[in-house]
Amino acid sequence: MSATQICVIGSVNLDLVVRCETLPRPGETLLGGQFASLPGGKGANQALAARRLGAGVCLIGKVGRDAHAEQALALLRVGGVDLSACSRSDHHPTGVALITVAADGENQIVVAPGANSDLAVSDLPERIDTALIGQLEIPTPVLEAAVTRCTGFISLNLAPARPLPDRLIAAADLLVVNETEADFYGLEKLHASGAAIALTLGADGAILFRNGKEVARARPPEVVVVDTVGAGDAFVAAITLALIEGRPDDEALAYACGVGALATTRHGAQTGLPNAAEIATLMAATGEKS
């Protein structure tokens, strides 16, 4: 295992997933196929992804005191993620995501935040002396406080897009956005933060910028896509870990694209996350360094 230590602050959900041939149009009712309830939440997904890639990981999050909580935390426990900073809400149930996945792997997601919205500054440690990964499925003041208390590398996945204080964006060493999120915030504004920017392009791969200039571009290896849920979270964990470990920009981006691609080959946000050996095999087959 790598000596790299990462703290992830973010959401913990139970994903309620229905698979169907096509995604429903507005007002349309479809008869779906398989149903599954699976662990999810961007924070939990990114924490488990980083752990499976070899980092030591702690998760700061919140679940309810309900039946969904243990199922939502199950794979994190099995995977060895430190859950000592994951607390219980007395006021809200565990967060739930309603997910529809089409035969081509595309998805629609609606999230009921539940206990994630109850995460408070008082739930944070006084200092975070490791790298930090955060996203936007928790209250902004809590994320701000975590960033302020962090003494290490700060990676922010600006998803789902919503207005943020400029000071929060400026505090990041790495910002990860997809094309929709880049349009929401404006790439010029993100470049002005001084952070490295990883822009994901779905099946077309990703671009890494530093100081407003493209420094690396990568495409994912060809895989058979069955489910894109969680692929973005796998990418976030991989690019963060690779840059912390000092990999060259082009190598780090190719690695992250490979991890994201491999995550699409299985069903489920967390059940589909690859481990370090699997990504090493894939990258070797494509001639890339793992």
Side-chain angles (χ1 to χ4, degrees):
M1 285 291 181
S2 164
T4 303
Q5 299 294 311
I6 297 176
C7 178
V8 179
I9 182 168
S11 57
V12 181
N13 292 329
L14 188 65
D15 292 348
L16 305 180
V17 184
V18 175
R19 308 190 189 285
C20 53
E21 283 301 312
T22 60
L23 298 178
R25 298 186 298 270
E28 182 181 18
T29 298
L30 297 177
L31 291 178
Q34 292 180 318
F35 167 78
S37 55
L38 302 167
K42 293 188 73 63
N45 296 346
Q46 292 172 14
L48 185 59
R51 178 60 181 156
R52 286 190 175 171
L53 294 174
V57 181
C58 68
L59 174 65
I60 301 172
K62 205 152 200 170
V63 295
R65 297 185 182 278
D66 54 3
H68 285 165
E70 286 309 311
Q71 190 175 356
L73 296 172
L75 290 181
L76 296 165
R77 292 190 193 283
V78 171
V81 174
D82 180 355
L83 298 177
S84 59
C86 195
S87 56
R88 304 271 179 161
S89 172
D90 293 320
H91 310 291
H92 299 282
T94 301
V96 170
L98 307 179
I99 303 176
T100 305
V101 181
D104 64 0
E106 287 301 318
N107 62 75
Q108 292 177 336
I109 304 175
V110 177
V111 177
N116 298 302
S117 62
D118 203 30
L119 190 64
V121 174
S122 59
D123 294 315
L124 303 179
E126 288 301 314
R127 284 171 57 91
I128 299 173
D129 290 322
T130 65
L132 177 70
I133 297 176
Q135 339 71 33
L136 306 184
E137 290 183 341
I138 58 171
T140 300
V142 182
L143 181 58
E144 279 195 273
V147 166
T148 300
R149 297 179 188 192
C150 179
T151 61
F153 187 94
I154 296 171
S155 172
L156 297 182
N157 177 205
L158 302 184
R162 68 169 190 245
L164 293 174
D166 290 345
R167 62 182 176 275
L168 179 56
I169 294 176
D173 297 293
L174 172 67
L175 297 169
V176 183
V177 292
N178 63 21
E179 292 173 280
T180 300
E181 293 147 6
D183 288 342
F184 179 87
Y185 293 104
L187 266 180
E188 286 190 10
K189 177 179 179 179
L190 298 182
H191 289 317
S193 71
I197 311 295
L199 172 64
T200 62
L201 307 171
D204 291 326
I207 306 171
L208 186 66
F209 299 91
R210 291 188 184 276
N211 301 314
K213 296 181 179 179
E214 179 179 324
V215 294
R217 183 183 290 256
R219 292 185 63 87
E222 291 189 12
V223 296
V224 178
V225 176
V226 299
D227 187 350
T228 58
V229 176
D233 295 327
F235 176 94
V236 171
I239 189 69
T240 302
L241 181 59
L243 292 177
I244 291 171
E245 292 181 338
R247 300 192 189 201
D249 288 338
D250 56 347
E251 183 182 317
L253 195 64
Y255 176 75
C257 285
V259 171
L262 197 52
T264 70
T265 63
R266 303 171 188 148
H267 291 299
Q270 291 181 25
T271 51
L273 294 172
N275 60 37
E278 290 168 331
I279 187 60
T281 299
L282 175 67
M283 300 305 280
T286 59
E288 298 283 354
K289 294 182 180 180
S290 62

